[in-house]
Amino acid sequence: MRQQSRTPWASGAAGHAAQPLRTAMAGVHTWAGLLFGWLLYFMFVTGTLGYLDSEIDRWMRPELPPAQYPLPPAATAQHALDYLQTQAPAAQRWMVQMPVDRNEPYLRVEWLPADPGQSARSDWLDARTGARIAVRETGGGQTLYQMHWRLHYLPQAVAEWTVAFASMALFLALLTGVVVHRRFFADFFTLRLGKGQRSWLDVHNLASVATLPFQLMISYSGLVFLMFSFMPLIATAWYGLSPGAERAFYRDLFPPLAVAPATGERVALVPMVQVLEQAKVHWQGAEAAVIDIQHPGDAHARIHLTGNFAAGPVRSAGTLVFDGVSGRLLAERAARQSGPRTARDLLLGLHEGLFAKPALRSMYLLSGLLGCAMIATGMVLWTVKRRQRAARSHAGALSGLVWMERLNPGVIFGLPIAIAAYFWANRLLPVGMPSRAESEVHVLFGVWIAMLLYAALGAGARVWQVQAGVAALAFAGLPVLNMLTTHRHLGWSLSAGDWGMAGLDLGAVALGGTFALGAWAMHRRGSSP
């Protein structure tokens, strides 16, 4: 009897004790997400596009043929070296990116001229013939991907610290969200449609719970990516504050291999097939993904061969250094050097997802999109709840609430519109214009600013409906634009098996249809989300 009488009391005490904790965690959850909400939304949208960076690169360079891999590595490498020997025989350095997989489907060469005042140059080559392929200058998918942590216009240090704080805020919001939601697992199976605010809360909870492991991984691994930037005192404790301390730290962390100065004596390079075969035997059948030749044609030439970083979830690859004249193996850096470094490389590999095959890549993409929905619905729900609270208390809405209500559509719908404008600029800007890649980015941010201004000057449901409609037209029109400006239209891509080009056209149609459905639903209800 005594045991039975104690049970309700203990349960009630635990419930009363948990309530203040949940209340405190609810405040942390709300404000951690709110203060960084717009930035996190930008990071998630652009970061999610990074899982399609190769496909976006392909669409934005329509001059390229369908992907060219795998091909015999010796012949492919020789095509690249023959081209470099013709174009830059006196260069300080030659670099060859081999076509190895979906992440690197084309043969690319880069060289550093002998004149220190000149910048590096690069070209795309036909891997089968070695002929140069003239492609337009474009930022491509890589620029979109890098926006999510470089923030483009900001100085590197400012951008990295800002992204680090945002990542910590997201990590904190996720952990506190687990404490706040008592019906954690029930939320995964709850989706009530047509219930207004309740439906949007269900979408927020469902998107949060369904992708919680992904969100925790992506936020924590993002912090690991930036650890050298926002934890500098750890290195400083060992290396001091002298001007050369940082260089010494990185030299110890990434020690140079078999470095030798140029002699000025011209000597022919060893046949590349010989070096590639040695590397293949050494790596037990794995092929080189990057060829880096320092002092090509010099008596102290060095050939660095690096494996494929995307071969597995651990983002690391071995490096072999050969004498460029004799072909003798001089040094090696193993892919996995220590337990802590392997753990770091694993987190980086999971964050980027370069190793993912189509099915897993689709899960990465879906999780990223649900993360965007989680953040967007959270920002909308905060304004709805605060507006209702102000109405109940008969108090005027705070200016912060008013501005967030006004700007939310410009952020949530305006950013996708701006990204669509980035694709439109790729097709409409003159192919030969100077600084063309940077101009594409200026168009993106210029259109986004225009959408934010329209949202700030407008009010009510119409802003949401108009921006959803503009997004629908912008994305649905991309395949038509592609057909009118290139011969790589959707029909051609499908018949040629060029799935990178066709996939983006089909994805644009799907996105356009989704935004059109949202615009129609809001128009029918005569309301905003």
PDB file of all heavy atoms in Angstrom, residues 115-142:
ATOM      1  N   ASP A 115      55.312  33.545 -64.148  1.00  0.00           N
ATOM      2  CA  ASP A 115      55.291  34.921 -63.652  1.00  0.00           C
ATOM      3  C   ASP A 115      54.443  34.977 -62.375  1.00  0.00           C
ATOM      4  O   ASP A 115      53.245  34.702 -62.405  1.00  0.00           O
ATOM      5  CB  ASP A 115      54.686  35.844 -64.704  1.00  0.00           C
ATOM      6  CG  ASP A 115      54.721  37.308 -64.277  1.00  0.00           C
ATOM      7  OD1 ASP A 115      55.127  37.583 -63.129  1.00  0.00           O
ATOM      8  OD2 ASP A 115      54.345  38.171 -65.093  1.00  0.00           O
ATOM      9  N   PRO A 116      55.028  35.307 -61.219  1.00  0.00           N
ATOM     10  CA  PRO A 116      54.269  35.351 -59.960  1.00  0.00           C
ATOM     11  C   PRO A 116      53.104  36.332 -59.988  1.00  0.00           C
ATOM     12  O   PRO A 116      52.153  36.198 -59.212  1.00  0.00           O
ATOM     13  CB  PRO A 116      55.313  35.772 -58.920  1.00  0.00           C
ATOM     14  CG  PRO A 116      56.634  35.461 -59.545  1.00  0.00           C
ATOM     15  CD  PRO A 116      56.442  35.650 -61.018  1.00  0.00           C
ATOM     16  N   GLY A 117      53.151  37.318 -60.864  1.00  0.00           N
ATOM     17  CA  GLY A 117      52.083  38.305 -60.921  1.00  0.00           C
ATOM     18  C   GLY A 117      50.836  37.821 -61.645  1.00  0.00           C
ATOM     19  O   GLY A 117      49.793  38.478 -61.600  1.00  0.00           O
ATOM     20  N   GLN A 118      50.937  36.685 -62.333  1.00  0.00           N
ATOM     21  CA  GLN A 118      49.787  36.157 -63.066  1.00  0.00           C
ATOM     22  C   GLN A 118      49.034  35.135 -62.218  1.00  0.00           C
ATOM     23  O   GLN A 118      49.644  34.391 -61.445  1.00  0.00           O
ATOM     24  CB  GLN A 118      50.250  35.501 -64.371  1.00  0.00           C
ATOM     25  CG  GLN A 118      50.866  36.471 -65.361  1.00  0.00           C
ATOM     26  CD  GLN A 118      51.258  35.786 -66.658  1.00  0.00           C
ATOM     27  OE1 GLN A 118      51.131  34.580 -66.814  1.00  0.00           O
ATOM     28  NE2 GLN A 118      51.757  36.562 -67.611  1.00  0.00           N
ATOM     29  N   SER A 119      47.722  35.120 -62.371  1.00  0.00           N
ATOM     30  CA  SER A 119      46.899  34.177 -61.623  1.00  0.00           C
ATOM     31  C   SER A 119      46.814  32.849 -62.360  1.00  0.00           C
ATOM     32  O   SER A 119      47.155  32.744 -63.546  1.00  0.00           O
ATOM     33  CB  SER A 119      45.497  34.754 -61.414  1.00  0.00           C
ATOM     34  OG  SER A 119      44.897  35.057 -62.662  1.00  0.00           O
ATOM     35  N   ALA A 120      46.338  31.850 -61.660  1.00  0.00           N
ATOM     36  CA  ALA A 120      46.209  30.519 -62.249  1.00  0.00           C
ATOM     37  C   ALA A 120      45.177  30.529 -63.379  1.00  0.00           C
ATOM     38  O   ALA A 120      44.219  31.312 -63.355  1.00  0.00           O
ATOM     39  CB  ALA A 120      45.806  29.515 -61.179  1.00  0.00           C
ATOM     40  N   ARG A 121      45.371  29.681 -64.353  1.00  0.00           N
ATOM     41  CA  ARG A 121      44.451  29.548 -65.472  1.00  0.00           C
ATOM     42  C   ARG A 121      43.978  28.100 -65.542  1.00  0.00           C
ATOM     43  O   ARG A 121      44.656  27.179 -65.074  1.00  0.00           O
ATOM     44  CB  ARG A 121      45.128  29.961 -66.776  1.00  0.00           C
ATOM     45  CG  ARG A 121      45.545  31.426 -66.816  1.00  0.00           C
ATOM     46  CD  ARG A 121      46.148  31.780 -68.162  1.00  0.00           C
ATOM     47  NE  ARG A 121      45.193  31.508 -69.247  1.00  0.00           N
ATOM     48  CZ  ARG A 121      45.502  31.579 -70.535  1.00  0.00           C
ATOM     49  NH1 ARG A 121      46.742  31.890 -70.902  1.00  0.00           N
ATOM     50  NH2 ARG A 121      44.599  31.329 -71.447  1.00  0.00           N
ATOM     51  N   SER A 122      42.821  27.902 -66.165  1.00  0.00           N
ATOM     52  CA  SER A 122      42.282  26.551 -66.243  1.00  0.00           C
ATOM     53  C   SER A 122      41.493  26.379 -67.529  1.00  0.00           C
ATOM     54  O   SER A 122      41.047  27.366 -68.131  1.00  0.00           O
ATOM     55  CB  SER A 122      41.378  26.253 -65.039  1.00  0.00           C
ATOM     56  OG  SER A 122      40.264  27.128 -65.014  1.00  0.00           O
ATOM     57  N   ASP A 123      41.316  25.140 -67.936  1.00  0.00           N
ATOM     58  CA  ASP A 123      40.540  24.800 -69.124  1.00  0.00           C
ATOM     59  C   ASP A 123      39.842  23.462 -68.911  1.00  0.00           C
ATOM     60  O   ASP A 123      40.282  22.628 -68.098  1.00  0.00           O
ATOM     61  CB  ASP A 123      41.433  24.718 -70.372  1.00  0.00           C
ATOM     62  CG  ASP A 123      41.625  26.074 -71.047  1.00  0.00           C
ATOM     63  OD1 ASP A 123      40.678  26.873 -71.024  1.00  0.00           O
ATOM     64  OD2 ASP A 123      42.733  26.326 -71.570  1.00  0.00           O
ATOM     65  N   TRP A 124      38.753  23.266 -69.665  1.00  0.00           N
ATOM     66  CA  TRP A 124      38.047  21.989 -69.712  1.00  0.00           C
ATOM     67  C   TRP A 124      38.455  21.286 -70.996  1.00  0.00           C
ATOM     68  O   TRP A 124      38.541  21.907 -72.052  1.00  0.00           O
ATOM     69  CB  TRP A 124      36.536  22.221 -69.707  1.00  0.00           C
ATOM     70  CG  TRP A 124      36.032  22.936 -68.495  1.00  0.00           C
ATOM     71  CD1 TRP A 124      36.205  24.260 -68.200  1.00  0.00           C
ATOM     72  CD2 TRP A 124      35.277  22.384 -67.421  1.00  0.00           C
ATOM     73  NE1 TRP A 124      35.602  24.570 -67.008  1.00  0.00           N
ATOM     74  CE2 TRP A 124      35.022  23.427 -66.495  1.00  0.00           C
ATOM     75  CE3 TRP A 124      34.787  21.110 -67.141  1.00  0.00           C
ATOM     76  CZ2 TRP A 124      34.302  23.234 -65.327  1.00  0.00           C
ATOM     77  CZ3 TRP A 124      34.066  20.914 -65.981  1.00  0.00           C
ATOM     78  CH2 TRP A 124      33.830  21.965 -65.068  1.00  0.00           C
ATOM     79  N   LEU A 125      38.690  19.983 -70.903  1.00  0.00           N
ATOM     80  CA  LEU A 125      39.126  19.211 -72.053  1.00  0.00           C
ATOM     81  C   LEU A 125      38.171  18.052 -72.318  1.00  0.00           C
ATOM     82  O   LEU A 125      37.546  17.523 -71.386  1.00  0.00           O
ATOM     83  CB  LEU A 125      40.539  18.643 -71.822  1.00  0.00           C
ATOM     84  CG  LEU A 125      41.654  19.626 -71.480  1.00  0.00           C
ATOM     85  CD1 LEU A 125      42.975  18.873 -71.353  1.00  0.00           C
ATOM     86  CD2 LEU A 125      41.762  20.728 -72.511  1.00  0.00           C
ATOM     87  N   ASP A 126      38.084  17.669 -73.581  1.00  0.00           N
ATOM     88  CA  ASP A 126      37.379  16.446 -73.939  1.00  0.00           C
ATOM     89  C   ASP A 126      38.268  15.280 -73.529  1.00  0.00           C
ATOM     90  O   ASP A 126      39.390  15.127 -74.033  1.00  0.00           O
ATOM     91  CB  ASP A 126      37.103  16.417 -75.440  1.00  0.00           C
ATOM     92  CG  ASP A 126      36.197  15.269 -75.841  1.00  0.00           C
ATOM     93  OD1 ASP A 126      36.449  14.137 -75.386  1.00  0.00           O
ATOM     94  OD2 ASP A 126      35.254  15.496 -76.613  1.00  0.00           O
ATOM     95  N   ALA A 127      37.794  14.456 -72.617  1.00  0.00           N
ATOM     96  CA  ALA A 127      38.630  13.384 -72.076  1.00  0.00           C
ATOM     97  C   ALA A 127      38.989  12.337 -73.126  1.00  0.00           C
ATOM     98  O   ALA A 127      39.975  11.619 -72.976  1.00  0.00           O
ATOM     99  CB  ALA A 127      37.911  12.720 -70.898  1.00  0.00           C
ATOM    100  N   ARG A 128      38.212  12.261 -74.188  1.00  0.00           N
ATOM    101  CA  ARG A 128      38.463  11.241 -75.219  1.00  0.00           C
ATOM    102  C   ARG A 128      39.478  11.710 -76.266  1.00  0.00           C
ATOM    103  O   ARG A 128      40.186  10.894 -76.845  1.00  0.00           O
ATOM    104  CB  ARG A 128      37.148  10.860 -75.904  1.00  0.00           C
ATOM    105  CG  ARG A 128      36.180  10.134 -74.981  1.00  0.00           C
ATOM    106  CD  ARG A 128      34.899   9.752 -75.714  1.00  0.00           C
ATOM    107  NE  ARG A 128      34.018   8.946 -74.883  1.00  0.00           N
ATOM    108  CZ  ARG A 128      33.123   9.438 -74.021  1.00  0.00           C
ATOM    109  NH1 ARG A 128      33.001  10.759 -73.905  1.00  0.00           N
ATOM    110  NH2 ARG A 128      32.372   8.642 -73.296  1.00  0.00           N
ATOM    111  N   THR A 129      39.525  13.018 -76.509  1.00  0.00           N
ATOM    112  CA  THR A 129      40.399  13.528 -77.568  1.00  0.00           C
ATOM    113  C   THR A 129      41.458  14.496 -77.064  1.00  0.00           C
ATOM    114  O   THR A 129      42.455  14.736 -77.764  1.00  0.00           O
ATOM    115  CB  THR A 129      39.560  14.248 -78.637  1.00  0.00           C
ATOM    116  OG1 THR A 129      38.970  15.435 -78.051  1.00  0.00           O
ATOM    117  CG2 THR A 129      38.457  13.345 -79.173  1.00  0.00           C
ATOM    118  N   GLY A 130      41.273  15.088 -75.903  1.00  0.00           N
ATOM    119  CA  GLY A 130      42.193  16.092 -75.391  1.00  0.00           C
ATOM    120  C   GLY A 130      41.955  17.481 -75.922  1.00  0.00           C
ATOM    121  O   GLY A 130      42.689  18.415 -75.584  1.00  0.00           O
ATOM    122  N   ALA A 131      40.924  17.657 -76.746  1.00  0.00           N
ATOM    123  CA  ALA A 131      40.631  18.978 -77.309  1.00  0.00           C
ATOM    124  C   ALA A 131      40.010  19.889 -76.248  1.00  0.00           C
ATOM    125  O   ALA A 131      39.244  19.428 -75.393  1.00  0.00           O
ATOM    126  CB  ALA A 131      39.684  18.841 -78.499  1.00  0.00           C
ATOM    127  N   ARG A 132      40.334  21.166 -76.324  1.00  0.00           N
ATOM    128  CA  ARG A 132      39.753  22.138 -75.387  1.00  0.00           C
ATOM    129  C   ARG A 132      38.276  22.328 -75.679  1.00  0.00           C
ATOM    130  O   ARG A 132      37.849  22.386 -76.837  1.00  0.00           O
ATOM    131  CB  ARG A 132      40.473  23.477 -75.508  1.00  0.00           C
ATOM    132  CG  ARG A 132      39.898  24.582 -74.638  1.00  0.00           C
ATOM    133  CD  ARG A 132      40.696  25.855 -74.797  1.00  0.00           C
ATOM    134  NE  ARG A 132      40.107  26.949 -74.035  1.00  0.00           N
ATOM    135  CZ  ARG A 132      39.201  27.794 -74.505  1.00  0.00           C
ATOM    136  NH1 ARG A 132      38.772  27.683 -75.773  1.00  0.00           N
ATOM    137  NH2 ARG A 132      38.718  28.771 -73.749  1.00  0.00           N
ATOM    138  N   ILE A 133      37.473  22.426 -74.607  1.00  0.00           N
ATOM    139  CA  ILE A 133      36.046  22.716 -74.732  1.00  0.00           C
ATOM    140  C   ILE A 133      35.817  24.144 -74.234  1.00  0.00           C
ATOM    141  O   ILE A 133      36.095  24.455 -73.068  1.00  0.00           O
ATOM    142  CB  ILE A 133      35.192  21.731 -73.910  1.00  0.00           C
ATOM    143  CG1 ILE A 133      35.489  20.293 -74.318  1.00  0.00           C
ATOM    144  CG2 ILE A 133      33.709  22.036 -74.087  1.00  0.00           C
ATOM    145  CD1 ILE A 133      34.800  19.263 -73.451  1.00  0.00           C
ATOM    146  N   ALA A 134      35.343  25.001 -75.095  1.00  0.00           N
ATOM    147  CA  ALA A 134      35.082  26.397 -74.717  1.00  0.00           C
ATOM    148  C   ALA A 134      33.770  26.455 -73.942  1.00  0.00           C
ATOM    149  O   ALA A 134      32.708  26.141 -74.472  1.00  0.00           O
ATOM    150  CB  ALA A 134      35.004  27.272 -75.961  1.00  0.00           C
ATOM    151  N   VAL A 135      33.831  26.806 -72.673  1.00  0.00           N
ATOM    152  CA  VAL A 135      32.641  26.898 -71.837  1.00  0.00           C
ATOM    153  C   VAL A 135      32.498  28.323 -71.328  1.00  0.00           C
ATOM    154  O   VAL A 135      33.479  29.061 -71.194  1.00  0.00           O
ATOM    155  CB  VAL A 135      32.704  25.915 -70.649  1.00  0.00           C
ATOM    156  CG1 VAL A 135      32.785  24.476 -71.134  1.00  0.00           C
ATOM    157  CG2 VAL A 135      33.896  26.228 -69.744  1.00  0.00           C
ATOM    158  N   ARG A 136      31.278  28.694 -71.022  1.00  0.00           N
ATOM    159  CA  ARG A 136      31.016  30.037 -70.503  1.00  0.00           C
ATOM    160  C   ARG A 136      31.534  30.161 -69.080  1.00  0.00           C
ATOM    161  O   ARG A 136      31.584  29.182 -68.325  1.00  0.00           O
ATOM    162  CB  ARG A 136      29.520  30.334 -70.561  1.00  0.00           C
ATOM    163  CG  ARG A 136      28.664  29.469 -69.640  1.00  0.00           C
ATOM    164  CD  ARG A 136      27.192  29.682 -69.901  1.00  0.00           C
ATOM    165  NE  ARG A 136      26.849  29.270 -71.267  1.00  0.00           N
ATOM    166  CZ  ARG A 136      25.711  29.612 -71.870  1.00  0.00           C
ATOM    167  NH1 ARG A 136      24.812  30.343 -71.238  1.00  0.00           N
ATOM    168  NH2 ARG A 136      25.462  29.209 -73.102  1.00  0.00           N
ATOM    169  N   GLU A 137      31.890  31.366 -68.703  1.00  0.00           N
ATOM    170  CA  GLU A 137      32.288  31.633 -67.323  1.00  0.00           C
ATOM    171  C   GLU A 137      31.034  31.661 -66.460  1.00  0.00           C
ATOM    172  O   GLU A 137      30.075  32.382 -66.750  1.00  0.00           O
ATOM    173  CB  GLU A 137      33.022  32.973 -67.229  1.00  0.00           C
ATOM    174  CG  GLU A 137      33.527  33.277 -65.827  1.00  0.00           C
ATOM    175  CD  GLU A 137      33.990  34.713 -65.672  1.00  0.00           C
ATOM    176  OE1 GLU A 137      34.043  35.426 -66.685  1.00  0.00           O
ATOM    177  OE2 GLU A 137      34.272  35.119 -64.532  1.00  0.00           O
ATOM    178  N   THR A 138      31.031  30.876 -65.396  1.00  0.00           N
ATOM    179  CA  THR A 138      29.864  30.813 -64.523  1.00  0.00           C
ATOM    180  C   THR A 138      30.272  30.365 -63.129  1.00  0.00           C
ATOM    181  O   THR A 138      31.272  29.660 -62.962  1.00  0.00           O
ATOM    182  CB  THR A 138      28.808  29.839 -65.080  1.00  0.00           C
ATOM    183  OG1 THR A 138      27.694  29.765 -64.170  1.00  0.00           O
ATOM    184  CG2 THR A 138      29.366  28.441 -65.257  1.00  0.00           C
ATOM    185  N   GLY A 139      29.497  30.803 -62.145  1.00  0.00           N
ATOM    186  CA  GLY A 139      29.741  30.351 -60.779  1.00  0.00           C
ATOM    187  C   GLY A 139      29.304  28.911 -60.583  1.00  0.00           C
ATOM    188  O   GLY A 139      29.868  28.181 -59.770  1.00  0.00           O
ATOM    189  N   GLY A 140      28.269  28.504 -61.314  1.00  0.00           N
ATOM    190  CA  GLY A 140      27.804  27.132 -61.240  1.00  0.00           C
ATOM    191  C   GLY A 140      27.272  26.747 -59.871  1.00  0.00           C
ATOM    192  O   GLY A 140      26.957  27.583 -59.020  1.00  0.00           O
ATOM    193  N   GLY A 141      27.181  25.448 -59.654  1.00  0.00           N
ATOM    194  CA  GLY A 141      26.656  24.939 -58.387  1.00  0.00           C
ATOM    195  C   GLY A 141      27.618  25.136 -57.240  1.00  0.00           C
ATOM    196  O   GLY A 141      27.190  25.257 -56.086  1.00  0.00           O
ATOM    197  N   GLN A 142      28.926  25.163 -57.522  1.00  0.00           N
ATOM    198  CA  GLN A 142      29.893  25.337 -56.452  1.00  0.00           C
ATOM    199  C   GLN A 142      29.741  26.684 -55.758  1.00  0.00           C
ATOM    200  O   GLN A 142      29.885  26.783 -54.538  1.00  0.00           O
ATOM    201  CB  GLN A 142      31.310  25.189 -57.004  1.00  0.00           C
ATOM    202  CG  GLN A 142      31.869  23.782 -56.907  1.00  0.00           C
ATOM    203  CD  GLN A 142      31.980  23.289 -55.478  1.00  0.00           C
ATOM    204  OE1 GLN A 142      32.641  23.909 -54.641  1.00  0.00           O
ATOM    205  NE2 GLN A 142      31.321  22.181 -55.183  1.00  0.00           N
TER     206      GLN A 142
END
